[in-house]
Amino acid sequence: MKTAVLVDDEQRMMDLIELYLAPQGYTCIKKDSALEAVLFLKHNHADIVILDVMMPEIDGWEVCKRIRSFSAIPIIMLTARDAAEDMVKGLNNGADDYITKPFNEDVLLARIEAVTRRISHHEVDGVSFKGLKLNESAYEAHYQAKSISLTPKEFSLLSLFLKSPDQVYSRDHLLTTIWGFRSNTEDRTIDSHIRNIREKLRHAGFPANEHLKTVWGVGYKWKSS
């Protein structure tokens, strides 16, 4: 059985999501307190978090940021807030996807499957580049022994770039390869994740701007030299 942590101050919404997820083999842990959800995730395993934005104690953006400080668990934000800036804020705080209410059951299930999909089985456990090392079996990234906290999607993107240096990837290709589906928000989604990767690499001391390049009008590539 897989475990989904549902974080929402509306019990009816959590009950509805559980109705969709239970037949897919998920045990749902429901938390109407954002602070309790963070504490639970610090000490318990889960496979995915479905997170509301507007909650009374702390908002979903802050919850996402706190979870990301200790875990790379996939997070989907599920909210009635549909403004582009809200979506970008969620992704920048570490969310892997952002779905607006009301939502379609099949879309929700497809998004969950996409964000929890592991890197394909044929990939090797380790990738390295000039002191930057990825351990794919543990989803860990380091630069010269300094740990880099990446979300699962950020990790998958960086792994793809490192394994195919100098190859240009369009946003459409990245979305299909990493997310497994098409989206109307593809540009914002990809661009936000690339921006986060660059910032985290720079913070660790790696010269991200020299290698993770924007190919204007096309997409992105990892420059090997």
Side-chain angles (χ1 to χ4, degrees):
M1 294 288 287
K2 297 167 286 187
T3 301
V5 175
L6 314 181
V7 189
D8 198 311
D9 61 335
E10 293 186 22
Q11 183 66 40
R12 187 172 65 176
M13 177 57 66
M14 291 191 291
D15 290 344
L16 178 63
I17 297 172
E18 182 180 35
L19 186 65
Y20 296 150
L21 295 188
Q24 307 302 318
Y26 281 92
T27 296
C28 293
I29 307 297
K30 304 178 209 176
K31 298 291 182 181
D32 59 8
S33 163
L35 295 176
E36 286 183 10
V38 173
L39 183 62
F40 176 86
L41 289 165
K42 278 187 176 181
H43 301 287
N44 297 274
H45 167 77
D47 296 287
I48 192 164
V49 176
I50 309 296
L51 175 64
D52 187 28
V53 170
M54 302 309 297
M55 289 178 289
E57 297 170 318
I58 54 175
D59 61 43
W61 297 305
E62 178 62 26
V63 174
C64 193
K65 187 185 300 183
R66 293 189 186 187
I67 293 173
R68 278 291 166 259
S69 69
F70 62 83
S71 175
I73 183 174
I75 299 173
I76 294 179
M77 303 193 83
L78 185 64
T79 174
R81 299 179 66 102
D82 59 358
E85 57 267 28
D86 292 330
M87 183 180 301
V88 171
K89 185 175 180 180
L91 295 172
N92 284 342
N93 281 335
D96 295 280
D97 205 348
Y98 191 107
I99 304 175
T100 56
K101 303 174 184 176
F103 60 90
N104 176 276
E105 172 189 355
D106 292 334
V107 171
L108 174 63
L109 294 175
R111 297 287 184 92
I112 290 173
E113 181 181 352
V115 301
T116 56
R117 186 179 298 123
R118 289 287 184 176
I119 300 172
S120 59
H121 297 303
H122 68 273
E123 292 179 334
V124 296
D125 284 344
V127 183
S128 62
F129 179 87
K130 295 185 178 181
L132 177 63
K133 297 182 179 181
L134 304 185
N135 182 333
E136 293 183 310
S137 61
Y139 266 61
E140 294 177 348
H142 295 84
Y143 177 61
Q144 296 181 344
K146 185 173 183 178
S147 178
I148 304 171
S149 178
L150 299 172
T151 70
K153 287 293 180 289
E154 292 166 357
F155 189 98
S156 296
L157 281 166
L158 184 55
S159 175
L160 179 66
F161 286 130
L162 290 179
K163 289 177 178 179
S164 302
D166 302 312
Q167 178 174 336
V168 179
Y169 289 101
S170 69
R171 291 176 176 84
D172 284 350
H173 182 92
L174 292 173
L175 192 74
T176 301
T177 301
I178 304 300
W179 274 258
F181 63 92
R182 297 277 309 222
S183 167
N184 291 331
T185 60
E186 55 200 41
D187 286 356
R188 290 196 298 270
T189 299
I190 296 297
D191 294 347
S192 178
H193 280 71
I194 294 295
R195 184 165 57 250
N196 289 343
I197 293 171
R198 284 174 173 154
E199 181 178 345
K200 291 177 179 181
L201 291 177
R202 286 196 299 265
H203 185 72
F206 183 84
N209 290 346
E210 295 179 14
H211 297 288
L212 185 47
K213 296 288 189 178
T214 299
V215 181
W216 297 108
V218 182
Y220 297 97
K221 74 173 182 178
W222 186 269
K223 187 178 179 181
S224 61
S225 60

